């Protein structure tokens, strides 16, 4: 485990020379995204942040933006309204950013929730939590990749479940979990996090100038487990209330530590070699390198190469996931 005091020491070294100057937060309206954004702004560096959020979050986010600007007058926070579970809206948000910026240093992705509810689709025909935790994220990455590649030290941080992927957790025959029995609260989240790793692992090999990180945050008490539940799921709600929620409260990082740990993941040279200098153990990517690739980081801020699983996923899943994802996203590129 990277000690919290070492994380704090590293974050205290963030300055205008090593901090992201242009950052995009998709999911920064709540939870880990919001905590990380607050920690980043509190470093006092000069930066511009695009904060993407849905219309229903606008009012409370305006208050948050005011708070951020009172913490750091050199931070410019631009609210971009978009219901990103809809890929057409996610595309529009990307187009807006592309029309304003020449480069992006940091793309931070956290949208989504534990898919404990029944399967519900967006008007574009995609299961909602899959749209948020997989397709919209990949869409943002693909659209913004040319701008990321123009940055000096670009980084994509995708928060879901890096390192938790297993060969059995992906359903390559039914990538959108549409068949009867495919979607369920034990199958969907492992499937979605594995899709993220499989896609990013391949993307990273073709774009070695961008550092990709798939983070598993451990427990952070953001209310995420409640988001996907329906009013009529009383037994599951009761089980979460009785067992899971107390466990989360007990084991969670404090909000402050969760924000600082993800700020470290966003800025430390431990991942990819550039950024805030790091004399501790360097992270290793899924290709076994310390200077490039996809880093699977866990709640301890350590990386795993997950070598028993990743090569098998490359053989079993990468071709179909890559092809299918591009087919789904094609109308929105
Ligand atoms: N928290 C944990 O302990 C934990 C553990 C493991 C994995 N994860 C995963 O890590 C990611 C980040 O977690 P978190 O706890 O920070 O998440 P969160 O606070 O519950 O939500 C993150 C973002 O998703 C957006 N969102 C949720 N439902 C939406 C919907 N139906 N339509 C549009 N946007 C929606 C939220 O927007 P609003 O602000 O507008 O609601 C928020 O910006 C999630 O994918 C989560 O599943 C979390």
């Amino acid at each position: 485990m990277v000690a919290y005091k070492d994380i704090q020491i590293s974050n205290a070294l963030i300055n205008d020379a090593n901090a992201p100057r242009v950052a995009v937060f998709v999911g920064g309206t709540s939870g880990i995204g919001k905590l990380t954004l607050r920690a980043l702004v509190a470093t006092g560096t000069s930066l511009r942040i695009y904060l993407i959020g849905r219309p229903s979050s606008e009012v409370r986010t305006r208050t948050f933006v005011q708070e951020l600007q009172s913490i750091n007058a050199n931070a410019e926070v631009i609210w971009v309204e978009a219901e990103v579970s809809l890929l057409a809206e996610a595309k529009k948000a990307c187009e807006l950013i592309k029309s304003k910026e020449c480069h992006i240093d940091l793309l931070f992705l956290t949208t989504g929730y534990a898919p404990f509810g029944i399967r519900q689709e967006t008007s574009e025909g995609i299961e909602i939590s899959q749209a948020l935790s997989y397709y919209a994220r990949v869409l943002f990455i693909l659209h913004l990749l040319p701008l990321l590649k123009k940055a000096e030290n670009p980084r994509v941080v995708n928060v879901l479940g890096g390192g938790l992927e297993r060969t059995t957790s992906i359903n390559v025959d039914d990538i959108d979990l549409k068949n009867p029995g495919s979607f369920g609260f034990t199958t969907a989240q492992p499937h979605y996090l594995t899709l993220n790793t499989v896609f990013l692992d391949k993307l990273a090999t073709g774009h070695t100038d961008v550092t990709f990180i798939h983070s598993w945050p451990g427990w952070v008490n953001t209310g995420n487990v409640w988001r996907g539940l329906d009013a009529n799921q009383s037994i599951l709600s009761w089980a979460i209330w009785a067992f899971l929620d107390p466990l989360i409260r007990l084991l969670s990082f404090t909000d402050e530590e969760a924000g600082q740990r993800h700020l470290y993941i966003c800025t430390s040279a431990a991942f990819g070699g550039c950024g805030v200098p790091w004399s501790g153990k360097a992270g290793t990517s899924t290709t076994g390198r310390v200077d490039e690739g996809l880093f699977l980081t866990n709640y301890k801020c350590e990386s795993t190469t997950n070598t028993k699983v990743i090569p098998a996923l490359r053989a079993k899943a990468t071709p179909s996931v890559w092809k299918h994802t591009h087919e789904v996203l094609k109308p929105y590129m």
Side-chain angles (χ1 to χ4, degrees), residues 26-35 51-58 60-61 79 82-86 109-115 128-129 132-133 137 158-161 164 189 215-225 227-228 248 252:
V26 190
T29 49
S30 305
I32 298 162
K34 187 175 179 182
L35 297 170
L51 173 53
I52 324 290
R54 52 182 166 171
S56 58
S57 299
E58 182 177 359
R60 65 181 168 80
T61 304
W79 165 254
E83 175 54 74
V84 298
S85 61
L86 295 174
L109 302 155
T110 52
T111 47
Y113 53 83
I128 298 173
S129 62
L132 290 165
S133 50
R137 295 180 185 210
N158 184 43
V159 181
L160 188 58
L164 297 181
Q189 188 83 323
S215 157
W216 169 39
W219 294 117
V220 187
N221 190 11
T222 62
N224 189 267
V225 284
R227 282 184 183 273
I248 292 172
S252 280

